[in-house]
Structure formats: C-alpha cells, structure tokens
Amino acid sequence: MITYDVGIVGLGAMGSMTALTLARRGRSVIGFDRFHPPHALGSSHGKSRIIREAYFEHPQYVPIVRHAWTLWNQLERDSGRRLLAETGGIMIGPPDGTLVSGARNSALLHQLPFEELAPAAVRQRFPVFQPGPHEVGLFEPRAGVLFPELAIEAALELAGRAGGELHFDEPVLSWDRGNPLTLTTAKGSYAVNRLVLAAGAWMAGALPGAPLPLEVARQRLLWFAPAGNPAFATPDRMPIFIWEWAPEQMFYGFPDFGDGAKVAIHHQGAPQDPNAERPPVTGAEVERVRTLMATRTPALNGILNDSASCLYTNTPSQDFLIDRSAIDSRVILASPCSGHGFKFAPAIGEVLADLVLDQEPRFDLSPFRL
C-alpha cells in the first residue's frame, strides 16, 4: 500500500486550498470528498460570498483576511479566472451596535480606510438602502464578492496539476491510529502520515473521533429580482451589505450579478443533520426576509428568482476551530466556519499546511483551539 504524506478529508473551501498548498510544497497529497465539489450540499456554495476587512466579529481576523486578499488575487492569476469582484461594503445599524461599532473598532485598530455615513448620506450615495434616523452606515472600500464554486473548482484543478490525488464521491468512513494512519472509505483503505479533517458539517458527527463542540444549522439563501430601478442593484452601484436590524440580529446581501440580488439572514437557522434531506424553503421563511427588506431595501424586494440552503457549522463562540486532535497530534481538525469562514480559505489552507508540516503558522491560532 502506498503511504501518502498527507490525507485530506473534505475538499470544499478549506480542504481544496490545503490540498493546493501542500501539493505545491512538494508533498504527496490524497484528498477525499463524499460528493463532487463544487456542489450545493455543504457550506461552500451559493454563487457569491462576502469578503470584507473591517471585521466586526473581532480584530484578530483582520490580518488573516488581509493576507487572504493577496492569495485570492494570486489564485485568480494562476487559474486565469475571475474569482472576486471588489464592490465595497457597507455595515448599517445603530452607531453603538455590535455590527457598526465592531467594524469601526477593527478599522481603527488596523488603520483600514472607512467612512461613517449619516442616514441621508447613505440614501444619497446608495439609493437601494433606506436606513432609519437612528442608524448609520460604515462604508469600507476594500470589500466585495467571491464566487465560491469557481474558486473551489480553480483550487482543485491547480492542486491536481501540482500532483495532488483527488478522490470525489468517496466518503471517508473512519480513520485509525497506527504508523501510518489508515483511512477507510466507501471504496478502500489508504495509508497517510498526516491527516487534515476539513469535512464541514460532517465535523459535527463521528468523523473527528471524539465529539467536537459544533452545531449545524440550515441557512436560507434567496435571490430577488429588483423591484425598483434595476440600476440601483448593479455591482457598480450597490456594495455588499450587512444590516443589524435588532441587537445582534443581522441580514446581508449582494448586488445583482444576473441572478437577482441575493439576501439572507445571518445565523438563526434551524438545526440540520447534514445527512438528512433538506426541506424546501417555506413561504414563511421568504416572508420573514421580505419583512426585513420592505422598509430597508424596498428596491430589492421583487419577484423571488431562486432559493437555496447553506449549512453553518457553528462553535459556541462562533469563532473558528483549528487545532490538533486530542487523540492524535498527527491529525489536524479544521472547522473554520460558523458562517463567516469562506473569505479566509486560501490563508487557512496555508495555516493547515504549516501545522501538517510542523511549521509555525504566520497567525496566532490560540483563539481557535479546542
């Protein structure tokens, strides 16, 4: 049996970037996915994902996402594909709310460019948004949209060219300690010296070998045809947005790239077993989003063009989980999700490769340990 330097379980956002990084560093890599990525059955899909630097969640993320910007641009050059669009981004809500105050704090701490706009200034510059009198907008120019399916496809293609061996439609059923480690899949057994588990929502099950503090939630994604002037929703006129409509309750959206304006609620999704069938989007779920849009983004509140479900794999703090397994230090656990991980993927790929190779990552991982 061939022994590979590294096995990777899960070839979505994080797994694909890890495979690419390790293959380019000359390691023999074998990767597995239970489906054929890119696909719409996990977390790394939905046509568009936000990238932003003025990170309201915590300033500790800013250096990581700034490095990710560089790597996304490099991936675009290497693949010859358009993987991101810089639209700018606006955070709207009370000036002392979690969203705006958190984004302001990160911007000030890391000296990021931003503007804080009064409600009238928001409406004048971006007519699609109608903030209330007690809300403000924090606009950051260096924000935009990533195209997740294209990005994963590009990373996997480049990983294969660099020598990575990628197995699709082959779920990993278990792994066993030994020297080397043994992976058992639906089709056979494989030997690896190191293992990265980056299986998204399936990290909340038995795969890691010991329970992890993860809960999986089903998030609804909706695409609406503009109801007002369609020009207000184009990428050159409308930035990505996040809106805190009540304390720590937010919805977000994207300009219209041809499928309609995508709008979704951040968190608050129903629990979901990733192996179970996902129920269709209900009228009540659509109406809840329409209610939020009615007075805030009425120009987007048109015909529903499409809908989808996405899985958030959440930690209790909604921070990432990146650590060595307590069972075996050769196994790296990677659940950098909680609904805000995709933008970091190429930087996390480097971090995971460093851990596999016993090298010091460029970022402090202590906030993300078990």
Side-chain angles (χ1 to χ4, degrees), residues 2 15 55 99 133 145 171 200 214 225 307 363:
I2 299 172
Y55 222 67
L99 175 63
V145 179
L214 300 172
S307 63
F363 305 110

Side-chain angles (χ1 to χ4, degrees), residues 2-8 22-23 25-31 163 165 179-181 183 190-196 330-332 353 355-357:
I2 299 172
T3 299
Y4 297 84
D5 292 331
V6 189
I8 300 172
L22 285 166
R25 292 186 186 181
R27 269 52 182 191
S28 58
V29 177
I30 185 167
E165 183 178 328
N179 195 11
L181 300 161
L183 299 180
Y190 305 85
V192 299
N193 289 321
R194 297 294 178 98
L195 177 60
V196 176
R330 296 171 296 173
V331 179
I332 309 300
L355 291 175
V356 163
L357 301 176

Side-chain angles (χ1 to χ4, degrees), residues 5-10 14-15 18 22 175 181 183 192-200 203 207-209 212 321-336 348-359 361 365 368 370:
D5 292 331
V6 189
I8 300 172
V9 181
M14 307 304 162
T18 306
L22 285 166
W175 58 274
L181 300 161
L183 299 180
V192 299
N193 289 321
R194 297 294 178 98
L195 177 60
V196 176
L197 298 178
M203 296 292 286
L207 183 64
L212 298 178
L321 190 161
I322 303 172
D323 205 353
R324 296 186 184 276
S325 168
I327 298 173
D328 194 313
S329 63
R330 296 171 296 173
V331 179
I332 309 300
L333 306 174
S335 187
I348 297 298
E350 284 192 347
V351 164
L352 297 176
D354 290 339
L355 291 175
V356 163
L357 301 176
D358 296 324
Q359 298 172 355
L365 301 183
F368 310 139
L370 280 167

Side-chain angles (χ1 to χ4, degrees), residues 175-314:
W175 58 274
D176 295 306
R177 299 179 66 189
N179 195 11
L181 300 161
T182 302
L183 299 180
T184 301
T185 76
K187 298 180 180 179
S189 296
Y190 305 85
V192 299
N193 289 321
R194 297 294 178 98
L195 177 60
V196 176
L197 298 178
W202 287 266
M203 296 292 286
L207 183 64
L212 298 178
L214 300 172
E215 294 183 353
V216 180
R218 179 178 68 249
Q219 307 297 144
R220 300 307 203 184
L221 312 175
L222 306 173
W223 285 263
F224 295 93
N229 186 339
F232 289 169
T234 58
D236 60 327
R237 296 284 303 277
M238 174 184 162
I240 61 94
F241 74 89
I242 306 177
W243 202 311
E244 185 176 16
W245 85 83
E248 299 191 5
Q249 297 188 52
M250 305 172 198
F251 75 113
Y252 63 95
F254 301 77
D256 184 357
F257 285 92
D259 301 299
K262 177 181 166 185
V263 182
I265 293 175
H266 187 44
H267 288 290
Q268 304 181 45
Q272 176 70 51
D273 177 350
N275 294 309
E277 184 177 354
R278 287 160 216 179
V281 175
T282 67
E285 289 172 324
V286 175
E287 190 56 35
R288 186 183 183 205
V289 175
R290 285 196 183 280
T291 299
L292 294 172
M293 297 168 64
T295 57
R296 297 173 179 89
T297 60
L300 302 182
N301 201 1
I303 296 170
L304 180 67
N305 283 346
D306 199 3
S307 63
S309 294
C310 174
L311 300 182
Y312 280 14
T313 308
N314 301 309

Side-chain angles (χ1 to χ4, degrees), residues 2-66:
I2 299 172
T3 299
Y4 297 84
D5 292 331
V6 189
I8 300 172
V9 181
L11 294 172
M14 307 304 162
S16 65
M17 301 297 176
T18 306
L20 173 57
T21 304
L22 285 166
R24 283 181 163 175
R25 292 186 186 181
R27 269 52 182 191
S28 58
V29 177
I30 185 167
F32 301 90
D33 199 281
R34 64 178 52 238
F35 306 113
H36 195 301
H39 57 74
L41 298 169
S43 305
S44 301
H45 63 97
K47 303 177 185 177
S48 54
R49 288 300 174 92
I50 288 174
I51 184 166
R52 53 193 165 88
E53 287 187 334
Y55 222 67
F56 79 87
E57 290 87 341
H58 198 286
Q60 69 196 10
Y61 289 97
V62 176
I64 310 175
V65 75
R66 295 182 85 174

Side-chain angles (χ1 to χ4, degrees), residues 89-165:
I90 190 164
M91 313 295 118
I92 302 175
D96 58 350
T98 297
L99 175 63
V100 171
S101 67
R104 184 193 304 117
N105 183 44
S106 285
L108 291 172
L109 185 64
H110 292 281
Q111 299 181 317
L112 304 175
F114 75 96
E115 298 175 74
E116 198 155 332
L117 305 174
V122 173
R123 291 191 291 269
Q124 182 177 18
R125 188 182 300 189
F126 308 114
V128 73
F129 304 125
Q130 300 295 312
H134 303 297
E135 296 177 313
V136 299
L138 188 147
F139 178 76
E140 58 169 320
R142 193 166 158 85
V145 179
L146 294 163
F147 305 118
E149 289 89 348
L150 293 177
I152 291 170
E153 194 171 75
L156 292 174
E157 182 179 310
L158 292 169
R161 287 187 202 168
E165 183 178 328

